[in-house]
Amino acid sequence: DTGVSQDPRHKITKRGQNVTFRCDPISEHNRLYWYRQTLGQGPEFLTYFQNEAQLEKSRLLSDRFSAERPKGSFSTLEIQRTEQGDSAMYLCASSFGTGIATNEKLFFGSGTQLSVL
Amino acid sequence: AQSVSQHNHHVILSEAASLELGCNYSYGGTVNLFWYVQYPGQHLQLLLKYFSGDPLVKGIKGFEAEFIKSKFSFNLRKPSVQWSDTAEYFCAVNARAGNNRKLIWGLGTSLAVNP
């Protein structure tokens, strides 16, 4: 399967623990996005990378959240000192885009479901 | 504030019925509009998108959507649904160009098609 892959699929953790998720985008895609989705809601934007540069970050992303894409390929999203409110599906998407156009198709992974107890 | 409103949270139809899912947006400037679908147990995937040209766009699996600028709407339609169309449908919008790349999403519409 050459789509976007996310690992793990499910993560259960205790409040206060740190968690890290990984996303492997489609190999030729230069743009990578993280979204968060809770039940009954649409996805909420968290952050965006173009190659290795983090170009945009939502105000939803508190200081406890950090994302990296060190070599412009895979990305990690870390949540420190997890809280129950962090429980959600964390979605990664990638795309290939050039210039300033923003209409490219996003390819989503299956997500990582985080449960904070 | 930028927002996307999907009119129906849950829709139940019988096979062969016609479908129209409403989507209205509030967004300053020129926009791109998208419909994404999530089939049970699968990831989100693009159904169709509009960014310029003919306001009636056709997507995969017989879906189409019409952009009506004066109404800030981008309703999704299908003339005859199938059981396999059972899924969650999301409308999304973003700015046409620039550094703001985030998509603003609606809450989604859950469609159940009875065989």
Side-chain angles (χ1 to χ4, degrees), chain A residues 31 33 35 37 40-43 45 48 50 56 91 99-106 108-110, chain B residues 9 32 34 36 38 43-44 46 49 51 90 94-103 105-107:
Chain A
R31 293 175 178 167
Y33 301 77
Y35 282 85
Q37 187 176 19
Q41 303 288 320
F45 172 81
Y48 152 67
Q50 178 149 314
E56 195 174 345
L91 298 170
I100 61 172
T102 57
N103 59 15
E104 72 268 22
K105 173 181 176 180
L106 294 185
F108 282 85
S110 298
Chain B
H9 232 42
N32 303 309
F34 306 82
Y36 278 82
Q38 187 167 25
H43 51 268
L44 281 161
L46 182 68
K49 66 177 180 179
F51 58 98
F90 292 93
N94 70 355
R96 177 73 61 81
N99 292 325
N100 185 351
R101 296 190 174 281
K102 68 179 181 184
L103 280 171
W105 297 75
L107 295 180

Side-chain angles (χ1 to χ4, degrees), chain A residues 5-110:
Chain A
S5 62
Q6 292 187 245
D7 183 68
R9 290 293 300 272
H10 304 274
K11 179 70 177 179
I12 300 173
T13 191
K14 291 183 179 178
R15 191 174 51 186
Q17 297 295 305
N18 299 344
V19 294
T20 300
F21 310 140
R22 179 182 169 117
C23 171
D24 286 273
I26 293 171
S27 58
E28 61 267 25
H29 284 182
N30 58 343
R31 293 175 178 167
L32 187 146
Y33 301 77
W34 285 98
Y35 282 85
R36 180 173 69 184
Q37 187 176 19
T38 52
L39 205 60
Q41 303 288 320
E44 293 176 296
F45 172 81
L46 294 178
T47 190
Y48 152 67
F49 291 86
Q50 178 149 314
N51 299 313
E52 67 277 7
Q54 187 175 20
L55 297 184
E56 195 174 345
K57 192 173 170 180
S58 165
R59 282 174 289 181
L60 288 174
L61 225 60
S62 74
D63 292 343
R64 296 185 297 106
F65 287 71
S66 62
E68 294 182 342
R69 194 183 183 199
K71 297 181 180 179
S73 56
F74 73 92
S75 175
T76 57
L77 176 68
E78 181 184 15
I79 309 174
Q80 295 182 328
R81 305 181 303 283
T82 52
E83 301 172 356
Q84 287 183 324
D86 297 332
S87 295
M89 176 74 82
Y90 289 83
L91 298 170
C92 177
S94 70
S95 68
F96 180 77
T98 58
I100 61 172
T102 57
N103 59 15
E104 72 268 22
K105 173 181 176 180
L106 294 185
F107 292 78
F108 282 85
S110 298

